Tab-separated table of all heavy atoms in Angstrom:
chain	number	residue	atom	x	y	z
A	863	LYS	N	92.600	99.215	105.472
A	863	LYS	CA	92.029	100.538	105.640
A	863	LYS	C	90.676	100.507	106.356
A	863	LYS	O	90.351	101.406	107.127
A	863	LYS	CB	91.871	101.218	104.275
A	863	LYS	CG	93.168	101.432	103.515
A	863	LYS	CD	94.139	102.307	104.275
A	863	LYS	CE	93.698	103.758	104.339
A	863	LYS	NZ	94.726	104.636	104.963
A	864	ILE	N	89.894	99.465	106.119
A	864	ILE	CA	88.600	99.337	106.805
A	864	ILE	C	88.810	99.190	108.304
A	864	ILE	O	88.165	99.860	109.112
A	864	ILE	CB	87.813	98.141	106.241
A	864	ILE	CG1	87.338	98.439	104.814
A	864	ILE	CG2	86.611	97.812	107.125
A	864	ILE	CD1	86.771	97.226	104.093
A	865	GLU	N	89.724	98.305	108.687
A	865	GLU	CA	89.993	98.128	110.119
A	865	GLU	C	90.546	99.409	110.718
A	865	GLU	O	90.200	99.783	111.850
A	865	GLU	CB	90.980	96.977	110.330
A	865	GLU	CG	91.222	96.691	111.810
A	865	GLU	CD	92.222	95.595	112.063
A	865	GLU	OE1	93.163	95.444	111.260
A	865	GLU	OE2	92.083	94.889	113.077
A	866	GLN	N	91.371	100.089	109.981
A	866	GLN	CA	91.953	101.342	110.450
A	866	GLN	C	90.870	102.371	110.739
A	866	GLN	O	90.904	103.063	111.756
A	866	GLN	CB	92.920	101.864	109.392
A	866	GLN	CG	93.792	103.037	109.822
A	866	GLN	CD	94.729	103.444	108.695
A	866	GLN	OE1	94.276	103.871	107.626
A	866	GLN	NE2	96.032	103.299	108.907
A	867	LYS	N	89.875	102.467	109.856
A	867	LYS	CA	88.837	103.479	110.021
A	867	LYS	C	87.839	103.110	111.114
A	867	LYS	O	87.494	103.927	111.968
A	867	LYS	CB	88.095	103.672	108.699
A	867	LYS	CG	86.849	104.524	108.853
A	867	LYS	CD	86.632	105.471	107.727
A	867	LYS	CE	85.487	106.417	108.068
A	867	LYS	NZ	85.251	107.429	107.072
A	868	ILE	N	87.347	101.862	111.095
A	868	ILE	CA	86.277	101.482	112.025
A	868	ILE	C	86.810	101.206	113.427
A	868	ILE	O	86.204	101.608	114.429
A	868	ILE	CB	85.518	100.255	111.493
A	868	ILE	CG1	84.804	100.603	110.183
A	868	ILE	CG2	84.490	99.766	112.511
A	868	ILE	CD1	84.040	99.453	109.574
A	869	TYR	N	87.953	100.529	113.505
A	869	TYR	CA	88.453	100.067	114.801
A	869	TYR	C	89.697	100.809	115.277
A	869	TYR	O	90.202	100.540	116.370
A	869	TYR	CB	88.734	98.561	114.744
A	869	TYR	CG	87.486	97.745	114.473
A	869	TYR	CD1	87.156	97.355	113.179
A	869	TYR	CD2	86.619	97.395	115.497
A	869	TYR	CE1	86.004	96.618	112.915
A	869	TYR	CE2	85.465	96.657	115.253
A	869	TYR	CZ	85.167	96.274	113.950
A	869	TYR	OH	84.027	95.547	113.699
A	870	GLY	N	90.224	101.727	114.453
A	870	GLY	CA	91.372	102.525	114.868
A	870	GLY	C	92.663	101.757	114.980
A	870	GLY	O	93.578	102.168	115.696
A	871	HIS	N	92.771	100.627	114.260
A	871	HIS	CA	93.957	99.777	114.368
A	871	HIS	C	94.612	99.644	113.007
A	871	HIS	O	93.976	99.241	112.034
A	871	HIS	CB	93.564	98.393	114.892
A	871	HIS	CG	94.713	97.440	114.991
A	871	HIS	ND1	94.639	96.111	114.625
A	871	HIS	CD2	95.991	97.629	115.419
A	871	HIS	CE1	95.807	95.531	114.818
A	871	HIS	NE2	96.632	96.426	115.298
A	872	SER	N	95.900	99.989	112.913
A	872	SER	CA	96.661	99.843	111.671
A	872	SER	C	97.576	98.632	111.800
A	872	SER	O	98.647	98.719	112.396
A	872	SER	CB	97.492	101.103	111.400
A	872	SER	OG	96.664	102.239	111.270
A	873	ASP	N	97.150	97.519	111.248
A	873	ASP	CA	97.884	96.261	111.405
A	873	ASP	C	98.968	96.157	110.329
A	873	ASP	O	98.825	95.469	109.317
A	873	ASP	CB	96.919	95.084	111.313
A	873	ASP	CG	97.562	93.776	111.757
A	873	ASP	OD1	98.800	93.723	111.859
A	873	ASP	OD2	96.828	92.795	111.991
A	874	ARG	N	100.082	96.838	110.548
A	874	ARG	CA	101.171	96.854	109.567
A	874	ARG	C	101.828	95.480	109.420
A	874	ARG	O	102.334	95.141	108.348
A	874	ARG	CB	102.214	97.903	109.947
A	874	ARG	CG	101.743	99.326	109.694
A	874	ARG	CD	102.806	100.341	110.084
A	874	ARG	NE	102.350	101.693	109.777
A	874	ARG	CZ	102.547	102.304	108.620
A	874	ARG	NH1	103.202	101.676	107.662
A	874	ARG	NH2	102.090	103.525	108.412
A	875	ALA	N	101.836	94.706	110.494
A	875	ALA	CA	102.433	93.369	110.404
A	875	ALA	C	101.678	92.524	109.385
A	875	ALA	O	102.275	91.829	108.558
A	875	ALA	CB	102.433	92.702	111.768
A	876	PHE	N	100.346	92.578	109.450
A	876	PHE	CA	99.527	91.870	108.460
A	876	PHE	C	99.808	92.399	107.059
A	876	PHE	O	100.029	91.622	106.120
A	876	PHE	CB	98.047	92.043	108.808
A	876	PHE	CG	97.110	91.920	107.639
A	876	PHE	CD1	96.830	90.682	107.083
A	876	PHE	CD2	96.504	93.055	107.091
A	876	PHE	CE1	95.969	90.574	105.993
A	876	PHE	CE2	95.652	92.952	106.012
A	876	PHE	CZ	95.374	91.707	105.461
A	877	LEU	N	99.814	93.715	106.906
A	877	LEU	CA	99.999	94.330	105.593
A	877	LEU	C	101.350	93.937	104.994
A	877	LEU	O	101.443	93.568	103.817
A	877	LEU	CB	99.891	95.850	105.719
A	877	LEU	CG	99.824	96.647	104.424
A	877	LEU	CD1	98.538	96.345	103.675
A	877	LEU	CD2	99.928	98.145	104.715
A	878	GLU	N	102.390	93.989	105.801
A	878	GLU	CA	103.732	93.698	105.306
A	878	GLU	C	103.906	92.214	104.999
A	878	GLU	O	104.520	91.845	103.995
A	878	GLU	CB	104.772	94.157	106.325
A	878	GLU	CG	106.203	94.034	105.838
A	878	GLU	CD	107.196	94.727	106.759
A	878	GLU	OE1	106.810	95.102	107.886
A	878	GLU	OE2	108.358	94.887	106.343
A	879	ARG	N	103.347	91.372	105.856
A	879	ARG	CA	103.494	89.928	105.660
A	879	ARG	C	102.851	89.487	104.337
A	879	ARG	O	103.459	88.759	103.544
A	879	ARG	CB	102.865	89.169	106.829
A	879	ARG	CG	103.018	87.659	106.743
A	879	ARG	CD	102.619	86.985	108.046
A	879	ARG	NE	101.245	87.276	108.419
A	879	ARG	CZ	100.911	88.032	109.463
A	879	ARG	NH1	101.847	88.562	110.235
A	879	ARG	NH2	99.652	88.250	109.751
A	880	VAL	N	101.634	89.953	104.086
A	880	VAL	CA	100.958	89.567	102.847
A	880	VAL	C	101.641	90.212	101.642
A	880	VAL	O	101.799	89.587	100.588
A	880	VAL	CB	99.470	89.948	102.908
A	880	VAL	CG1	98.776	89.611	101.590
A	880	VAL	CG2	98.772	89.231	104.058
A	881	PHE	N	102.090	91.462	101.787
A	881	PHE	CA	102.752	92.163	100.690
A	881	PHE	C	103.997	91.410	100.221
A	881	PHE	O	104.237	91.265	99.018
A	881	PHE	CB	103.125	93.579	101.136
A	881	PHE	CG	103.837	94.390	100.089
A	881	PHE	CD1	103.140	94.976	99.047
A	881	PHE	CD2	105.213	94.573	100.149
A	881	PHE	CE1	103.799	95.723	98.081
A	881	PHE	CE2	105.883	95.318	99.191
A	881	PHE	CZ	105.171	95.899	98.156
A	882	GLN	N	104.770	90.920	101.181
A	882	GLN	CA	105.998	90.195	100.825
A	882	GLN	C	105.680	88.976	99.957
A	882	GLN	O	106.371	88.691	98.973
A	882	GLN	CB	106.729	89.749	102.095
A	882	GLN	CG	107.267	90.886	102.949
A	882	GLN	CD	108.558	91.472	102.397
A	882	GLN	OE1	109.101	90.976	101.425
A	882	GLN	NE2	109.048	92.526	103.017
A	883	LYS	N	104.637	88.242	100.311
A	883	LYS	CA	104.281	87.054	99.537
A	883	LYS	C	103.642	87.431	98.203
A	883	LYS	O	103.792	86.710	97.203
A	883	LYS	CB	103.330	86.164	100.354
A	883	LYS	CG	103.908	85.681	101.675
A	883	LYS	CD	105.181	84.874	101.486
A	883	LYS	CE	104.919	83.480	100.993
A	883	LYS	NZ	104.279	82.624	102.013
A	884	LEU	N	102.932	88.553	98.163
A	884	LEU	CA	102.312	88.971	96.908
A	884	LEU	C	103.356	89.401	95.877
A	884	LEU	O	103.096	89.354	94.667
A	884	LEU	CB	101.307	90.098	97.151
A	884	LEU	CG	100.001	89.672	97.829
A	884	LEU	CD1	99.100	90.878	98.058
A	884	LEU	CD2	99.267	88.608	97.010
A	885	MET	N	104.525	89.816	96.328
A	885	MET	CA	105.576	90.117	95.361
A	885	MET	C	105.979	88.859	94.593
A	885	MET	O	106.305	88.919	93.406
A	885	MET	CB	106.781	90.755	96.063
A	885	MET	CG	106.522	92.202	96.480
A	885	MET	SD	108.023	93.122	96.856
A	885	MET	CE	108.536	92.326	98.368
A	886	LEU	N	105.941	87.690	95.262
A	886	LEU	CA	106.183	86.429	94.563
A	886	LEU	C	105.088	86.168	93.545
A	886	LEU	O	105.346	85.736	92.416
A	886	LEU	CB	106.254	85.271	95.562
A	886	LEU	CG	107.347	85.321	96.631
A	886	LEU	CD1	107.199	84.132	97.577
A	886	LEU	CD2	108.723	85.322	95.988
A	887	ASN	N	103.847	86.412	93.963
A	887	ASN	CA	102.727	86.182	93.061
A	887	ASN	C	102.766	87.130	91.868
A	887	ASN	O	102.486	86.727	90.730
A	887	ASN	CB	101.407	86.353	93.823
A	887	ASN	CG	100.195	86.151	92.943
A	887	ASN	OD1	99.446	87.092	92.668
A	887	ASN	ND2	99.980	84.931	92.496
A	888	PHE	N	103.136	88.384	92.094
A	888	PHE	CA	103.239	89.349	91.001
A	888	PHE	C	104.286	88.878	89.985
A	888	PHE	O	104.069	88.935	88.769
A	888	PHE	CB	103.613	90.726	91.554
A	888	PHE	CG	103.613	91.812	90.514
A	888	PHE	CD1	102.463	92.544	90.255
A	888	PHE	CD2	104.763	92.107	89.793
A	888	PHE	CE1	102.455	93.546	89.296
A	888	PHE	CE2	104.773	93.102	88.825
A	888	PHE	CZ	103.611	93.822	88.572
A	889	THR	N	105.403	88.386	90.487
A	889	THR	CA	106.463	87.887	89.608
A	889	THR	C	105.975	86.689	88.804
A	889	THR	O	106.298	86.544	87.618
A	889	THR	CB	107.704	87.512	90.429
A	889	THR	OG1	108.137	88.657	91.176
A	889	THR	CG2	108.832	87.041	89.535
A	890	TRP	N	105.180	85.814	89.439
A	890	TRP	CA	104.612	84.675	88.714
A	890	TRP	C	103.770	85.167	87.545
A	890	TRP	O	103.866	84.641	86.428
A	890	TRP	CB	103.759	83.826	89.663
A	890	TRP	CG	103.037	82.717	88.948
A	890	TRP	CD1	103.534	81.485	88.638
A	890	TRP	CD2	101.707	82.754	88.422
A	890	TRP	NE1	102.596	80.743	87.954
A	890	TRP	CE2	101.460	81.495	87.811
A	890	TRP	CE3	100.697	83.712	88.413
A	890	TRP	CZ2	100.246	81.189	87.197
A	890	TRP	CZ3	99.493	83.411	87.795
A	890	TRP	CH2	99.274	82.161	87.197
A	891	TRP	N	102.936	86.168	87.775
A	891	TRP	CA	102.108	86.717	86.706
A	891	TRP	C	102.977	87.239	85.559
A	891	TRP	O	102.722	86.958	84.388
A	891	TRP	CB	101.232	87.848	87.253
A	891	TRP	CG	99.888	87.390	87.695
A	891	TRP	CD1	99.523	86.968	88.939
A	891	TRP	CD2	98.709	87.301	86.892
A	891	TRP	NE1	98.198	86.628	88.968
A	891	TRP	CE2	97.667	86.829	87.713
A	891	TRP	CE3	98.430	87.579	85.562
A	891	TRP	CZ2	96.373	86.629	87.249
A	891	TRP	CZ3	97.134	87.379	85.093
A	891	TRP	CH2	96.130	86.907	85.925
A	892	VAL	N	103.979	88.012	85.897
A	892	VAL	CA	104.823	88.615	84.859
A	892	VAL	C	105.540	87.542	84.047
A	892	VAL	O	105.650	87.629	82.816
A	892	VAL	CB	105.838	89.585	85.497
A	892	VAL	CG1	106.854	90.057	84.465
A	892	VAL	CG2	105.108	90.783	86.111
A	893	ASN	N	106.019	86.492	84.719
A	893	ASN	CA	106.792	85.455	84.031
A	893	ASN	C	105.928	84.483	83.236
A	893	ASN	O	106.386	83.913	82.241
A	893	ASN	CB	107.614	84.657	85.044
A	893	ASN	CG	108.738	85.484	85.635
A	893	ASN	OD1	109.140	86.485	85.067
A	893	ASN	ND2	109.235	85.062	86.789
A	894	ARG	N	104.674	84.274	83.658
A	894	ARG	CA	103.858	83.233	83.057
A	894	ARG	C	102.798	83.754	82.085
A	894	ARG	O	102.367	83.026	81.201
A	894	ARG	CB	103.137	82.437	84.163
A	894	ARG	CG	104.046	81.601	85.038
A	894	ARG	CD	104.716	80.476	84.235
A	894	ARG	NE	105.461	79.570	85.086
A	894	ARG	CZ	104.963	78.451	85.605
A	894	ARG	NH1	103.713	78.121	85.356
A	894	ARG	NH2	105.706	77.676	86.352
A	895	LYS	N	102.342	84.984	82.241
A	895	LYS	CA	101.161	85.425	81.507
A	895	LYS	C	101.419	86.570	80.540
A	895	LYS	O	100.488	87.191	80.044
A	895	LYS	CB	100.058	85.827	82.514
A	895	LYS	CG	99.590	84.654	83.379
A	895	LYS	CD	99.052	83.515	82.524
A	895	LYS	CE	98.720	82.289	83.347
A	895	LYS	NZ	98.232	81.174	82.491
A	896	ASP	N	102.685	86.861	80.269
A	896	ASP	CA	103.052	87.883	79.285
A	896	ASP	C	103.844	87.172	78.180
A	896	ASP	O	105.072	87.122	78.201
A	896	ASP	CB	103.880	88.980	79.966
A	896	ASP	CG	104.316	90.084	79.007
A	896	ASP	OD1	103.875	90.064	77.834
A	896	ASP	OD2	105.093	90.955	79.420
A	897	VAL	N	103.112	86.600	77.202
A	897	VAL	CA	103.712	85.687	76.225
A	897	VAL	C	104.869	86.317	75.471
A	897	VAL	O	105.923	85.717	75.288
A	897	VAL	CB	102.621	85.199	75.235
A	897	VAL	CG1	103.256	84.444	74.066
A	897	VAL	CG2	101.630	84.308	75.963
A	898	GLU	N	104.687	87.576	75.018
A	898	GLU	CA	105.696	88.207	74.179
A	898	GLU	C	106.604	89.161	74.943
A	898	GLU	O	107.449	89.828	74.341
A	898	GLU	CB	105.003	88.946	73.028
A	898	GLU	CG	104.222	88.002	72.100
A	898	GLU	CD	103.531	88.742	70.976
A	898	GLU	OE1	103.367	89.990	71.092
A	898	GLU	OE2	103.158	88.107	69.982
A	899	GLY	N	106.429	89.240	76.268
A	899	GLY	CA	107.279	90.111	77.057
A	899	GLY	C	107.081	91.586	76.766
A	899	GLY	O	108.000	92.395	76.926
A	900	LYS	N	105.857	91.956	76.352
A	900	LYS	CA	105.583	93.345	75.986
A	900	LYS	C	104.600	94.021	76.947
A	900	LYS	O	103.965	95.016	76.613
A	900	LYS	CB	105.028	93.400	74.559
A	900	LYS	CG	106.029	92.944	73.499
A	900	LYS	CD	105.426	93.043	72.106
A	900	LYS	CE	106.436	92.622	71.039
A	900	LYS	NZ	105.866	92.699	69.666
């Protein structure tokens, strides 16, 4: 959003690429850090 506002560029490729990998990281959190599954 900062780049979008200051430089007028919406880098969706960057946003999508990182988002895809963060879904793996989110799953790691859910599987490893929720002891009782609640």
